[in-house]
């Protein structure tokens, strides 16, 4: 368990790297070649949409398609090699940190992209807050190992003092300059990227970040993959660093959203029948937005979930106390024991519904409407979740307590495809 912050010289160590970026003249548009992070792409609809938007869309690297799972990493590596040879992607001429900005209406996020020195959990420098699924780490490891590249940055957050000093001061100066690239993606977000190469600015940013620890907001599986691949290497080298975006949430707060579950082999009628006597169930014949409001109201008073898949919504709350006492482990903090995700996995999935936590049984879906649509299309059950507050996530992480996998979704997430890291260039 680690509740300390890092010492002044023992925090985040971010270094410049030579970014790989799309050559604008060689693609239809920068927006057409970007993608959400790999785990946000909803298959198959989202994958097919991105593949058809441009033949060089980054999804062909982060989610390569091949006849067998073993062939996919090699397909991605061959594609990356071809794109470099054809001038679709090119490396920047000198190492840089990259200031990255996302904007959509009143929502503004700015941070710094760089190669972060990897640390171990016991060091308390980078704090995970969710468990990971071994098969996903294995899949990502195969991809990174074969391509020799970090294809998308993790999203990490730290808490500055809110003032325009250090890394924040560098960001504020840099955004007054002409960006390397500027594009607007179909979700309405504008994206801008700047390179920071001035030694004084690099030193100011690095010195400030060295005083901080970071919370993994998005990318637990990729972080676990970074650590795994580093441990495979002999000695130090490029595998000792991982591609990240660092955001000061005291300056630029993130949104925290829920990640929903799609239970492939459990029809809604069976799910509801199994709840009798252990949870209160109310059927809501209302639009999705209204049902989500009802979920939020119920979640304010305790554990609550929204089931969908049969054309209506079913609000599930007020779990039986004795059932929770029998099914939830006692050696964790109260904040962990009362999480919706804890109750869902330990009580509902494991004991009430008997649903194994395996890919053939459960999918994790970020988009609420997509979860409902897929449940209705396939006769499955969507379990819609209410988001956890960021302060709860951070406090548990500082105690060394991980939440059930896919408990939160921080955003906005960085667009994938704006800058990549090739380990061969380090």
């Amino acid at each position: 368990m680690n509740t300390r912050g890092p010492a002044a010289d023992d925090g985040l160590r971010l270094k410049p790297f030579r970014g790989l970026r799309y050559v604008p003249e060689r693609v239809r548009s920068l927006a057409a070649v970007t993608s959400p992070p790999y785990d946000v792409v909803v298959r198959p609809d989202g994958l097919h949409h991105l593949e058809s938007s441009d033949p060089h869309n980054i999804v062909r690297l982060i989610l390569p398609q091949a006849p067998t799972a073993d062939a996919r990493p090699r397909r991605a590596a061959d594609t990356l090699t071809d794109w470099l040879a054809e001038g679709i992607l090119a490396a920047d001429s000198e190492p840089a940190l990259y200031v990255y900005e996302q904007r959509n209406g009143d929502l503004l996020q700015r941070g710094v992209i760089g190669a972060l020195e990897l640390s171990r959990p016991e060091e308390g420098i980078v704090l995970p807050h969710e468990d990971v699924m071994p098969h996903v780490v294995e899949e990502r490891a195969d991809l990174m190992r074969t391509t020799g590249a970090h294809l998308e940055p993790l999203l990490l957050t730290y808490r500055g003092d809110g003032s325009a000093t250090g890394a924040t001061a560098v960001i504020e100066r840099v955004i007054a300059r002409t960006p390397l690239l500027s594009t607007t993606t179909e979700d309405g977000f504008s994206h801008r990227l700047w390179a920071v190469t001035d030694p004084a600015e690099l030193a100011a940013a690095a010195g400030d970040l060295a005083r901080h620890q970071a919370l993994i907001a998005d990318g637990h599986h990729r972080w676990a993959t970074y650590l795994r691949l580093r441990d495979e290497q002999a000695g130090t080298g490029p595998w000792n660093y991982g591609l990240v975006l660092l955001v000061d949430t005291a300056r630029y707060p993130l949104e925290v959203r829920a990640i929903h579950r799609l239970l492939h082999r459990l029809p809604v009628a069976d799910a509801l029948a199994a709840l009798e006597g252990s949870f209160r169930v109310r059927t809501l014949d209302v639009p999705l937005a209204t049902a989500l409001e009802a979920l939020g109201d119920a979640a304010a008073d305790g554990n609550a979930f929204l089931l969908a898949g049969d054309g209506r919504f079913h609000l599930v709350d007020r779990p039986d106390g004795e059932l929770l006492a029998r099914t939830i482990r006692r050696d964790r903090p109260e904040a962990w024991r009362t999480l919706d995700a804890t109750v869902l996995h330990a009580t509902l999935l494991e004991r009430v519904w008997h649903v194994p936590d395996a890919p053939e049984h459960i999918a994790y879906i970020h988009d609420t409407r997509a979860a409902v649509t897929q449940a209705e299309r396939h006769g499955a059950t969507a379990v819609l979740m209410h988001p956890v507050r960021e302060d709860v996530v951070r406090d548990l992480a500082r105690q060394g307590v991980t939440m059930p996998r896919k408990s939160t979704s921080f955003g906005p997430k960085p667009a994938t495809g704006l800058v990549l890291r090739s380990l061969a260039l380090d």
Side-chain angles (χ1 to χ4, degrees):
M1 182 177 296
N2 193 310
T3 58
R4 69 167 178 86
D9 59 349
D10 190 28
L12 301 165
R13 298 181 181 274
L14 194 69
K15 75 167 190 174
F17 69 102
R18 289 179 62 196
L20 285 183
R21 296 189 295 110
Y22 280 98
V23 177
E25 296 78 15
R26 299 302 310 276
V27 296
R28 183 166 65 84
S29 72
L30 289 176
V33 294
T34 63
S35 164
Y38 79 96
D39 59 335
V40 180
V41 178
V42 180
R43 299 192 200 196
D45 299 347
L47 179 64
H48 293 161
H49 172 72
L50 291 166
E51 285 185 328
S52 62
S53 66
D54 189 282
H56 303 108
N57 188 281
I58 193 69
V59 78
R60 297 180 184 274
L61 299 183
I62 64 172
L63 287 174
Q65 299 303 292
T68 65
D70 291 344
R72 289 169 189 160
R74 175 47 51 193
R75 172 68 59 84
D78 291 344
T79 300
L80 178 58
T81 299
D82 291 344
W83 289 359
L84 289 169
E86 296 166 8
I88 305 301
L89 290 168
D92 286 335
S93 59
E94 58 183 320
L97 295 179
Y98 296 86
V99 170
Y100 175 51
E101 176 191 274
Q102 291 172 276
R103 186 191 293 269
N104 189 352
D106 295 333
L107 196 160
L108 173 65
Q109 175 179 285
R110 292 181 180 133
V112 180
I113 296 175
L116 181 68
E117 184 174 2
L118 305 181
S119 60
R120 299 189 182 279
E122 61 268 20
E123 296 177 79
I125 297 172
V126 175
L127 305 174
H129 70 267
E130 288 184 356
D131 295 330
V132 297
M133 294 174 278
H135 77 278
V136 177
V137 176
E138 178 70 28
E139 176 191 84
R140 291 294 105 187
D142 287 345
L143 182 65
M144 290 187 201
R145 191 186 297 111
T146 307
T147 59
H150 294 161
L151 303 172
E152 46 188 338
L154 282 65
L155 175 59
L156 273 59
T157 73
Y158 68 99
R159 296 288 294 180
D161 60 11
S163 64
T165 58
T168 300
V170 172
I171 291 173
E172 297 299 326
R173 286 197 298 272
V174 167
I175 61 171
R177 305 170 189 166
T178 302
L180 287 176
L181 64 86
S182 179
T183 190
T184 299
T185 46
E186 64 181 8
D187 58 3
F189 274 90
S190 64
H191 307 263
R192 297 197 293 172
L193 191 76
W194 296 260
V196 181
T197 57
D198 178 80
E201 291 182 331
L202 292 173
D208 180 28
L209 292 170
R211 300 183 296 109
H212 295 286
Q213 63 184 175
L215 176 73
I216 301 177
D218 185 67
H220 283 82
H221 289 90
R222 283 166 285 163
W223 178 258
T225 302
Y226 287 168
L227 297 181
R228 174 173 176 168
L229 295 177
R230 177 197 60 183
D231 292 344
E232 292 178 0
Q233 309 304 310
T236 60
W239 293 101
N240 286 69
Y241 295 82
L243 183 63
V244 304
L245 165 64
L246 280 162
V247 174
D248 178 1
T249 53
R251 191 82 171 179
Y252 301 105
L254 298 182
E255 295 180 337
V256 186
R257 297 179 179 176
I259 302 176
H260 311 296
R261 276 65 170 161
L262 180 66
L263 310 182
H264 297 300
R265 302 179 183 179
L266 182 67
V268 174
D270 292 349
L272 295 174
L275 294 174
E276 186 174 351
S278 57
F279 284 78
R280 182 175 70 168
V281 179
R282 290 173 285 168
T283 298
L284 309 176
D285 196 2
V286 297
L288 175 59
T290 306
L292 291 174
E293 290 177 3
L295 174 62
D297 292 341
D301 296 325
N303 300 119
F305 312 92
L306 200 63
L307 306 190
D310 62 352
R312 298 179 297 176
F313 299 99
H314 307 275
L315 184 61
V316 176
D317 64 357
R318 296 188 183 179
D320 176 70
E322 292 185 1
L323 175 63
L324 298 184
R326 292 196 309 270
T327 56
I328 296 177
R329 55 192 296 180
R330 300 175 181 271
D331 61 342
R332 295 292 181 95
E334 182 68 13
W336 182 90
R337 290 171 51 82
T338 56
L339 288 169
D340 286 341
T342 298
V343 173
L344 173 61
H345 283 262
T347 304
L348 284 170
L349 293 177
E350 185 172 340
R351 299 296 186 89
V352 176
W353 292 329
H354 305 289
V355 175
D357 194 354
E360 60 268 27
H361 291 275
I362 303 177
Y364 295 85
I365 299 181
H366 293 72
D367 184 84
T368 308
R369 192 168 295 280
V372 174
T373 299
Q374 290 202 29
E376 293 179 344
R377 183 180 300 167
H378 301 292
T381 294
V383 183
L384 306 183
M385 310 281 286
H386 189 69
V388 183
R389 299 194 318 273
E390 181 183 358
D391 62 313
V392 173
V393 176
R394 193 175 294 275
D395 287 346
L396 285 172
R398 283 175 172 159
Q399 296 178 61
V401 178
T402 55
M403 300 166 65
R405 62 195 63 170
K406 299 293 183 182
S407 293
T408 58
S409 176
F410 285 81
K413 303 178 189 302
T416 298
L418 297 181
V419 61
L420 290 63
R421 176 178 177 242
S422 168
L423 279 73
L425 295 174
D426 279 13

